[in-house]
């Protein structure tokens, strides 16, 4: 049976990563691991490790990106929580069997051999949940 292992990251939408770092890095004292441009998603991402997990700041880099639309509609704040699972395909099968609504029916191949899929927030009581299987 597929198993959830830990929280991989919590993602927050921000208007401006540099400004958000005044809080997350400078005031809280978290370390900025790296900044990354994600042209495919028209966004920029900052990672701040916390224990074995990470805070991920996501900033839109184009007004027509999905993240920009989300920001316009909902404002900055929580975007999604990502759980690491040992067998993402098995977990998607299990969720489907339990009638859970998925955004991705199959795991998507991400960078560095990661596989990911999103569960619909309607199925998760308002929270957008991402699943990760790490290589
Ligand atoms: Zn994520």
């Amino acid at each position: 049976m597929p198993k959830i292992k830990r929280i991989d990251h919590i993602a927050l939408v921000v208007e401006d990563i540099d400004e958000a770092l005044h809080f997350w890095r400078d005031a809280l004292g978290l370390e900025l691991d790296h900044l990354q441009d994600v042209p495919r998603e028209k966004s920029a991402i900052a990672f701040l490790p916390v224990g074995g997990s990470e805070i991920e700041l996501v900033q839109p880099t184009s007004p027509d990106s999905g993240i920009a639309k989300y920001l316009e509609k909902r404002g900055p704040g929580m975007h999604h929580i990502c759980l690491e699972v040992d067998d993402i395909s098995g977990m998607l099968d299990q969720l489907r069997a339990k009638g859970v609504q998925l955004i991705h029916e199959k795991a998507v191949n991400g960078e560095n051999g990661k596989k990911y899929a999103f569960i619909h927030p309607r199925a998760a009581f308002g929270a957008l949940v991402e699943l990760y299987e790490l290589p």
Side-chain angles (χ1 to χ4, degrees):
M1 208 160 143
K3 198 163 180 261
I4 299 292
K5 295 167 80 175
R6 63 188 188 97
I7 294 173
D8 184 89
H9 61 271
I10 293 172
L12 310 169
V13 182
V14 300
E15 275 161 18
D16 183 333
I17 283 179
D18 288 328
E19 271 190 40
L21 285 174
H22 289 309
F23 172 69
W24 294 98
R25 180 191 55 199
D26 304 339
L28 280 183
L30 294 177
E31 202 175 308
L32 173 62
D33 187 58
H34 66 285
L35 270 167
Q36 191 184 319
D37 204 38
V38 191
R40 189 169 40 119
E41 306 278 348
K42 295 176 184 167
S43 60
I45 298 177
F47 294 97
L48 300 105
V50 183
S53 306
E54 288 181 310
I55 300 281
E56 177 184 340
L57 305 176
V58 186
Q59 175 201 315
T61 51
S62 162
D64 65 344
S65 66
I67 287 290
K69 284 174 193 135
Y70 180 96
L71 191 56
E72 203 180 322
K73 206 168 136 194
R74 317 270 291 264
M78 280 286 308
H79 186 258
H80 66 268
I81 179 167
C82 178
L83 304 173
E84 186 191 347
V85 60
D86 59 357
D87 170 12
I88 193 166
S89 300
M91 181 56 83
L92 291 173
D93 288 343
Q94 173 177 310
L95 293 171
R96 214 175 290 110
K98 290 184 186 289
V100 171
Q101 190 180 350
L102 303 171
I103 291 176
H104 297 112
E105 291 294 331
K106 279 187 150 191
V108 181
N109 291 314
E111 281 134 46
N112 310 321
K114 279 178 194 168
K115 293 179 190 169
Y116 69 91
F118 280 92
I119 300 169
H120 201 284
R122 245 195 305 268
F125 297 83
L128 179 59
V129 178
E130 180 179 28
L131 298 173
Y132 252 16
E133 183 186 315
L134 302 176

